[in-house]
């Protein structure tokens, strides 16, 4: 059966391509979505790719992923470092979650070193730019296959 993966993106990630390209690269979110959809077509996956600047919307989508999805890839942007609500949503949804960041948050300001998501994530991929999304898809697929 085709498995459904939610890929959720938080605040300001809609600006990828023009936002601090020295930090986040020049790839747009649209391009990342297309790459993920291509990967999905090759691996019999359904991808629900979304972005919001609104914390509560991300909470709603994480709950939806828990009800309808098989896995979650989450780049929560700055909410990574602030949001107990996202942590609680992941905990409550029990959906296998991989945390992604384009930048290596540990090479950046101290306030980015703490993540509310990491304690409830299967793992974290950061510092590989846009490629991190495909790396996360591969890791999630392996997890779902039990390997
Ligand atoms: C980010 C890292 C966060 O610290 C930052 O607030 C973002 C993007 C990343 O993908 O590198 O918005 O999640």
């Amino acid at each position: 059966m085709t498995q459904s993966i939610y890929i959720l993106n938080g605040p300001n990630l809609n600006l990828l391509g023009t936002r601090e390209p020295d930090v986040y690269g020049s790839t747009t979110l649209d391009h990342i979505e297309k790459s993920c959809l291509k990967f999905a077509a090759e691996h019999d996956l359904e991808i629900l790719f979304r972005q919001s600047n609104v914390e509560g919307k991300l909470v709603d989508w994480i709950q939806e992923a828990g009800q309808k999805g098989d896995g979650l890839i989450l780049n929560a942007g700055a909410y990574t470092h602030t949001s107990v609500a996202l942590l609680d949503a992941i905990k409550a949804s029990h959906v296998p979650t991989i945390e992604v960041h384009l930048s290596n948050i540990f090479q950046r300001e101290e306030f980015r070193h703490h993540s509310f998501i990491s304690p409830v994530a299967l793992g974290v991929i950061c510092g590989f730019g846009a490629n991190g999304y495909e790396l996360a898809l591969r890791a999630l697929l392996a997890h779902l296959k039990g390997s």
Side-chain angles (χ1 to χ4, degrees):
M1 212 180 80
T2 304
Q3 291 184 302
S4 294
I5 309 296
Y6 281 69
I7 303 181
L8 303 181
N9 297 280
N12 299 306
L13 291 165
N14 54 314
L15 301 178
L16 282 182
T18 54
R19 174 192 182 200
E20 301 180 75
D22 47 320
V23 177
Y24 298 115
S26 54
T27 308
T28 63
L29 195 62
D30 198 43
H31 186 95
I32 293 173
E33 178 175 6
K34 289 199 172 86
S35 306
C36 291
L37 291 174
K38 185 168 176 278
F39 182 93
E42 291 162 0
H43 293 84
D44 189 28
L45 291 172
E46 180 194 25
I47 301 275
L48 296 104
F49 194 100
R50 298 177 188 166
Q51 187 275 333
S52 178
N53 295 325
V54 180
E55 188 176 9
K57 212 161 188 181
L58 293 164
V59 170
D60 286 343
W61 289 341
I62 291 168
Q63 291 182 8
E64 184 184 317
Q67 285 152 10
K68 301 184 188 165
D70 297 292
L72 168 64
I73 292 170
L74 177 63
N75 183 349
Y79 292 144
T80 304
H81 318 297
T82 62
S83 180
V84 176
L86 293 187
L87 162 70
D88 285 350
I90 296 167
K91 259 190 179 170
S93 75
H94 298 292
V95 66
T97 300
I98 298 190
E99 176 182 351
V100 169
H101 303 284
L102 294 115
S103 63
N104 182 343
I105 54 175
F106 300 103
Q107 286 177 344
R108 301 184 64 195
E109 305 95 321
E110 190 97 24
F111 65 83
R112 294 185 205 275
H113 298 181
H114 177 262
S115 165
F116 280 98
I117 312 297
S118 300
V120 288
L122 286 174
V124 183
I125 295 172
C126 76
F128 296 101
N131 290 333
Y133 286 78
E134 183 173 326
L135 294 172
L137 275 169
R138 288 187 188 280
L140 196 51
L141 197 56
H143 172 80
L144 293 173
K145 283 185 177 161
S147 55

